[in-house]
Each structure stands twice: as C-alpha cells, then as structure tokens.
Amino acid sequence: MSSMLVDNIGELVTNGAGEGPLGIRRDAAVLVEEGRVVWVGPSAYAPAADRRLDAGGAAVLPGFVDSHAHLVFAGDRAAEFAARMAGEPYTGGGIRTTVGATRAATDDELRATVRRLRGEALRQGTTTMEIKSGYGLTVADEARSLRIAAESSTETTFLGAHVVPAEYADRPDDYVGLVCGPMLAAAAPYAKWVDVFCERGAFDVDHARAILACGQAAGLGVRIHANQLAPGGGVQLGVELDAASVDHCTHLSDADVDALAGTAHSDGSGTRTVATLLPGAEFSTRSPYPDARRLLEAGVTVALATDCNPGSSYTSSMAFCVALAVREMRLTPAEAVWAATAGGARALRRDDIGVLTPGARADLVVLDAPSYLHLAYRPGVPLIRQVMRNGVTP
Ligand SMILES: [Zn+2]
C-alpha cells in the first residue's frame, strides 16, 4: 500500500470543517492512501508517507465536479455561434444539425471526441464529469452514445428526449413511446441517470413526466433541463419527481423558487433537488443570466456546471464558469467555488467527491496561485498546476 502526502499547502479548501463556508485550513497537508483522503491537518504535524507532493505554499481545492456535459457528438457549430454573435437568436434548433453529424460518425470518431474533451477538462481540474447522450435519437445511436460515454465516466445520462428528431416532427407522441420503450431498454444498461429537455420546442411537461417516470421505473435517477429559454413547469416537475438536479433555471417564478427552497429534512420530507446553473450557456447565447442571488437567499442548493456542448456552450472550463458566476451572477468567489465542487457533488447525489475530508476520494487540484480567489480574480488564466484523481497524478 503506497501513501502520498500533499503538504506545504498555503490554503486548503476542504468544504468540510474549517474556516468559513469552504472549510479553509492554512499551512495544511493531506495524506492519501489507496485513492482516498485518510488524514487532513497542519503540515507541521503531517504523518510520514512513501511519497510527497510539495504544494509550495499554493492553494489546493477539491477537483471540480462538472455535473452537466454533452460530450458525445460529431461536428462543430462555430458558424452558428458566429451568426448568433452577429445578432441571430438562439432557439435550440441547431441540436438537429449535431444529430445528423453524430449519426453519420463512426464509434471511433465519437470516442475520440469524448476522450479529447474529457482530457481537456481533466487538465483544467475537472475530476468528475457527467456525460449525456442526446445527439443520436435512435435506439442504436443512443445506446452507442452511452456505451462510449461509460468508457470515460460512471456518471452517464440518457437524454434520448433532447429534441424530437426530424423524422418524428409531426408525431411527438410516437417519439415519446420510442424513448420510453426500446430506446430506454437499450440505453439503461449504460446509464445512471435519465434527463429531458423540458422546453417549448422540445418536450412539454406531460411528455417530460412520462419519460422521467419510465426512467425512474428502470432504476435511473432523474435530472432535467428546465426553464432555460422561458418560464414553464419543468423546475416544479423536477422537484415533484425528486430530481437530483434541475438544470439552467434561467426563468423562475416565485413558486419555482419556493419549490426548490423546501429544505430536505431528516424524515425525508422537503426537497434535495439542486439548482444547477450553466452560465456558459448564457455567455455563448448572449442571454440574461439566472438570478442566482434569489436562489441562494431562498436557501436553495446551487451547483455550477459547464453544459459543455457544441451548440450553446462549447467550454469545458469550470474555472471560466466560476469567473462568470462571480462577475455576472454575483456569487461570492467562495459561493462559486463551493457550487463548482461540493455543489456539483450534491447535484450527482455523491458525498465522496467535492470535499477533501477523511474518507473522500483523493480528487484535488493544486493551483498556480495562493488562494481560490484567483479563479475568479484571474479569469482565462491557466491556474491549474497539478491534478490528482483517485490519488493518481496523470
Ligand atoms: Zn444541457
């Protein structure tokens, strides 16, 4: 059994016991054995270990948990982005462009894209990344999308209900039947979660409820894309179905916020549903940002994720999302870093990641900076000096 001591940490974000909401410890060390954190304490009292990683006085934080990403696709939509920046509105219709390219791609082409983007995110400090299907939209293409996603993540999500594909445009009920029937059956062995894009132009609340209920019955956890482009019933549907997360939350009514704010109690009542905000999407579609302060002040648990996808948010950088959240959504830097680590873990119903406390997975990043504050203070700068995942430095 080999142990590794990460010591000489100037500022350690634990998201556990310590100073402030991030559980900060100064002059700290972390002992790692068998891929787990086994001890956290002052550097001066650190136990001996087989190997040592000297943080050189820099900040160390839990690896980012990106709980919302669409990595299984082919082609790119740079021209659509350029047109949008020149004034065309975002409607979500471009998803069908990617569906065509994805269906035409080979398994190896899709696999290469997933690996490239997963590697890109890992180098930027993302140690856990959820990966959705949703650009195949046939039984075979959704199943292979999830099979390929499962090679790179255990957090895989069946999003057969991303849009109604063109061949079902005039009979959406039939498509919902396909999703709930043979497509779910083919996808479920490779999926942990089921998700629906609940939005005008995609799936209405009744269709979303039917699909999520089928997924739940097949043993999948629920997540939902809701209230991104307009108000609607998606957020309340997510809370009703005990979704782990409702994602986007850009257009919320008071009733939506109240539903999300019903705090979880030990007797099982209240909501455990997290609001996951995806500011990369508002950035890349030049749309108004969600009112994050309203959620935080109501006591809602907020996560941040990239929504990495080729249409509306082609970034894999959680640090960029932290900077956007601080600058554009008025999160404090501490709130944003918590949302990008512990918040993402809650959105995946995980308690072994997003924290650096004994028992947690040894997923951490060493910054090229003395404090987590620099993630928002120095936007666009590559501040991730070293990444450890499962106790291993790749
Ligand atoms: Zn998405």
Side-chain angles (χ1 to χ4, degrees):
M1 184 170 67
S2 148
S3 58
M4 157 100 75
L5 184 71
V6 186
D7 69 351
N8 201 11
I9 301 169
E11 179 187 272
L12 175 67
V13 172
T14 66
N15 289 333
E19 168 197 321
L22 296 180
I24 286 178
R25 290 165 171 261
R26 314 267 169 202
D27 303 315
V30 175
L31 182 66
V32 172
E33 281 178 10
E34 309 252 292
R36 297 269 164 181
V37 173
V38 295
W39 180 90
V40 176
S43 224
Y45 300 106
D50 302 325
R51 287 174 303 142
R52 176 174 178 240
L53 173 61
D54 182 350
V60 168
L61 58 151
F64 294 122
V65 178
D66 186 353
S67 61
H68 186 138
H70 307 249
L71 304 189
V72 193
F73 65 85
D76 83 41
R77 282 153 58 194
E80 178 191 315
F81 174 78
R84 200 159 60 234
M85 291 304 105
E88 286 182 23
Y90 175 68
T91 60
I95 292 170
R96 289 201 182 90
T97 309
T98 301
V99 170
T102 303
R103 288 176 176 175
T106 66
D107 287 9
D108 282 344
E109 286 165 344
L110 295 178
R111 184 174 287 117
T113 297
V114 172
R115 287 186 178 164
R116 174 174 64 81
L117 292 170
R118 182 66 195 91
E120 184 182 283
L122 182 62
R123 290 193 296 280
Q124 297 172 93
T126 299
T127 47
T128 301
M129 196 170 196
E130 183 256 21
I131 304 178
K132 299 178 196 298
S133 68
Y135 294 114
L137 310 187
T138 66
V139 173
D141 286 310
E142 284 297 299
R144 75 166 175 150
S145 294
L146 284 159
R147 183 164 40 78
I148 290 166
E151 295 169 2
S152 292
S153 180
T154 57
E155 301 292 346
T156 52
T157 301
F158 171 46
L159 182 59
H162 198 183
V163 290
V164 176
E167 64 273 21
Y168 282 89
D170 53 354
R171 44 193 183 110
D173 290 345
D174 290 353
Y175 186 66
V176 172
L178 179 73
V179 171
C180 288
M183 196 183 284
L184 174 63
Y190 309 106
K192 180 171 176 183
W193 305 97
V194 60
D195 191 349
V196 172
F197 187 23
C198 183
E199 197 79 43
R200 194 172 307 139
F203 295 87
D204 64 22
V205 169
D206 291 340
H207 282 158
R209 180 184 282 108
I211 292 161
L212 295 172
C214 292
Q216 249 172 345
L220 306 183
V222 169
R223 16 195 3 96
I224 185 168
H225 285 66
N227 302 53
Q228 175 189 5
L229 305 176
V235 164
Q236 292 183 57
L237 175 64
V239 173
E240 173 194 323
L241 296 178
D242 188 33
S245 180
V246 292
D247 295 34
H248 283 291
C249 295
T250 310
H251 298 271
L252 297 183
S253 67
D254 288 346
D256 295 330
V257 177
D258 287 349
L260 285 166
T263 318
H265 304 296
S266 53
D267 65 359
S269 64
T271 179
R272 296 185 295 161
T273 303
V274 172
T276 298
L277 308 182
L278 309 166
E282 279 79 33
F283 177 88
S284 298
T285 59
R286 195 178 276 143
S287 301
Y289 290 89
D291 189 347
R293 288 250 58 91
R294 182 181 177 204
L295 290 166
L296 288 163
E297 273 145 33
V300 177
T301 302
V302 170
L304 283 172
T306 62
D307 195 16
C308 183
N309 80 82
S312 58
S313 182
Y314 201 7
T315 181
S316 56
S317 171
M318 288 293 283
F320 175 63
C321 294
V322 165
L324 285 181
V326 171
R327 172 63 179 84
E328 303 293 340
M329 303 198 298
R330 299 175 187 273
L331 271 71
T332 66
E335 286 168 339
V337 166
W338 191 93
T341 52
R346 297 264 181 100
L348 295 170
R349 298 243 159 114
R350 297 273 299 268
D351 56 16
D352 60 329
I353 54 175
V355 294
L356 290 174
T357 52
R361 256 174 46 168
D363 291 354
L364 59 82
V365 295
V366 182
L367 296 188
D368 240 333
S371 170
Y372 73 89
L373 291 169
H374 285 233
L375 288 167
Y377 173 47
R378 306 200 62 214
V381 177
L383 291 180
I384 307 299
R385 181 195 298 167
Q386 194 141 23
V387 182
M388 179 186 289
R389 186 167 179 272
N390 279 329
V392 176
T393 47

